[in-house]
Amino acid sequence: MSISVQGITKVFSNRRDKRSMNTVLEDISFDVNEGEFVSLLGPSGCGKTTTLNIIAGFLKHEDGNIYINGEKVNKPGPDRAFVFQNYALFPWMKVSENIMYPMKMQGAPKKERQDRLRDLLEMAHLEEYANYYIHEISGGMKQRVALLRALACDPKVLLMDEPLGAVDFQMRQMLQAQLESMLQENQKTALMVTHDVDEAIYLSDRVIVMSRDRGRILADIKIELPRPRDRKNEKYHQYTNELSDILRTALNGEVKNQGDEELLEFIEKTDKKGNKRVVFAEKAICNSNK
Ligand SMILES: Nc1ncnc2c1ncn2[C@@H]1O[C@H](COP(=O)(O)OP(=O)(O)OP(=O)(O)O)[C@@H](O)[C@H]1O
């Protein structure tokens, strides 16, 4: 199934002063083709989550339309599954019950639910943890459970808001590889919000970069690399540099304070093995608001 975002405008009333309005998105348009994995990248507050919530049908918008496979949608539906940043799992349920919850709500027969559960747990290497409660499993496992719950009803479209945001670097790379193979296996159309340039390149067919100027789309870049992706590939580095430059431009355009150089340093991080990883660091953006 494809997603088509056409001319979306979203205005919020200011949280502190209800009379003043904030146009977060203005006339935003893009498409995600069937089976494509697209990432939304951009500075904090540029409207990535708002865009995803509008597509999910969680938020109303002022203008424009969302089409799923050519059909206009304006409320949530089983065709679109959502993976939340903070997992949003049910702590009073076991891993298996969490995963099966959407199928149960849809009234799927018990046998079908059990078969699906077995397949999903196997796919994510979580068979041993089916009867654990959520507080008994690690952050990386919670992330996988949240993803399996989203995949349970076999949605055609997967919307993910920083699905790997809460796990450490090593776990994140492992989960990226797992997420990729799960999505390849299931042939999903996916739209993901991320701050992480490396993650966007590793997972996406296309990366869309948004700016804080009413969500304006700065770039829409096709990542033409074979899968699974090799971080050591020369072209992989070229994409990293290209996207970093676009983000730098976005930051430079937005950061008006002195000390910009210091802020920009936050953009590039190097892990213990010396691999460069580019992150659109939250801290830099926070500082820029001073
Ligand atoms: N319910 C709301 N009421 C008022 N303003 C809101 C609301 N939700 C979001 N905003 C504002 O809309 C803007 C965009 O927020 P959004 O969460 O979409 O950004 P984002 O790009 O996802 O940011 P981050 O990367 O930090 O998660 C921000 O200025 C935010 O304060």
Side-chain angles (χ1 to χ4, degrees):
M1 278 191 178
S2 60
I3 305 170
S4 184
V5 174
Q6 293 186 11
I8 291 298
T9 295
K10 174 71 195 169
V11 182
F12 281 118
S13 62
N14 192 306
R15 282 185 172 126
R16 295 208 178 126
D17 172 9
K18 296 282 176 217
R19 285 163 304 176
S20 100
M21 306 305 266
N22 177 15
T23 303
V24 173
L25 303 173
E26 189 174 85
D27 197 16
I28 299 303
S29 302
F30 62 89
D31 289 335
V32 182
N33 301 320
E34 169 139 19
E36 210 175 18
F37 191 121
V38 174
S39 285
L40 287 180
L41 191 71
S44 183
C46 71
K48 304 181 293 293
T49 297
T50 302
T51 306
L52 209 62
N53 282 332
I54 291 172
I55 297 170
F58 299 153
L59 258 185
K60 295 273 170 264
H61 49 282
E62 273 60 47
D63 210 351
N65 292 310
I66 304 292
Y67 297 90
I68 301 292
N69 235 16
E71 265 187 45
K72 195 158 132 184
V73 291
N74 49 24
K75 55 180 197 274
D79 51 351
R80 283 151 290 152
F82 203 96
V83 182
F84 296 90
Q85 199 170 4
N86 55 2
Y87 323 124
L89 295 168
F90 306 123
W92 60 91
M93 289 184 191
K94 293 177 179 170
V95 164
S96 56
E97 292 164 336
N98 264 282
I99 297 171
M100 285 300 91
Y101 183 76
M103 282 188 89
K104 205 168 173 184
M105 287 296 100
Q106 285 193 357
K110 196 169 177 189
K111 169 87 174 66
E112 193 185 314
R113 288 199 316 255
Q114 282 171 341
D115 290 349
R116 180 83 179 132
L117 176 67
R118 204 188 42 246
D119 289 349
L120 289 168
L121 287 171
E122 195 185 310
M123 182 166 72
H125 311 294
L126 283 172
E127 299 98 317
E128 291 169 43
Y129 299 93
N131 291 319
Y132 280 53
Y133 282 97
I134 298 307
H135 71 271
E136 295 174 315
I137 59 173
S138 70
M141 288 176 192
K142 284 180 194 149
Q143 205 66 76
R144 277 179 279 167
V145 173
L147 198 60
L148 294 186
R149 186 177 63 181
L151 291 173
C153 283
D154 201 20
K156 296 291 171 277
V157 172
L158 200 54
L159 304 170
M160 298 178 280
D161 192 359
E162 293 209 59
L164 310 180
V167 293
D168 66 39
F169 182 63
Q170 259 179 340
M171 174 61 75
R172 196 168 173 135
Q173 287 207 340
M174 198 192 90
L175 289 178
Q176 283 165 1
Q178 260 186 15
L179 174 59
E180 191 201 22
S181 70
M182 279 192 224
L183 293 183
Q184 293 284 307
E185 219 171 282
N186 289 269
Q187 279 299 306
K188 300 287 173 220
T189 304
L191 182 62
M192 176 180 79
V193 164
T194 182
H195 280 108
D196 190 328
V197 172
D198 174 76
E199 181 164 281
I201 298 169
Y202 187 83
L203 288 169
S204 315
D205 297 307
R206 266 168 57 218
V207 181
I208 294 176
V209 186
M210 294 170 74
S211 96
R212 274 196 293 183
D213 173 19
R214 289 156 289 154
R216 191 164 54 89
I217 293 177
L218 292 174
D220 184 336
I221 294 178
K222 205 165 180 193
I223 308 293
E224 289 175 296
L225 290 169
R227 293 180 185 273
R229 289 191 170 149
D230 175 8
R231 289 188 162 89
K232 295 196 180 75
N233 183 314
E234 180 59 28
K235 217 170 160 195
Y236 196 104
H237 287 291
Q238 283 169 13
Y239 282 121
T240 306
N241 292 335
E242 187 181 352
L243 278 167
S244 307
D245 284 346
I246 295 166
L247 289 175
R248 265 196 198 88
T249 309
L251 244 189
N252 274 327
E254 288 164 4
V255 177
K256 304 275 188 294
N257 302 329
Q258 285 184 338
D260 291 358
E261 288 306 312
E262 196 185 321
L263 295 176
L264 292 175
E265 272 178 26
F266 286 106
I267 291 177
E268 288 177 359
K269 286 187 175 179
T270 308
D271 70 14
K272 284 179 192 149
K273 288 180 190 154
N275 296 318
K276 199 164 82 172
R277 171 171 171 252
V278 182
V279 177
F280 207 31
E282 195 74 25
K283 202 166 174 184
I285 308 301
C286 292
N287 283 350
S288 75
N289 288 334
K290 277 184 189 165

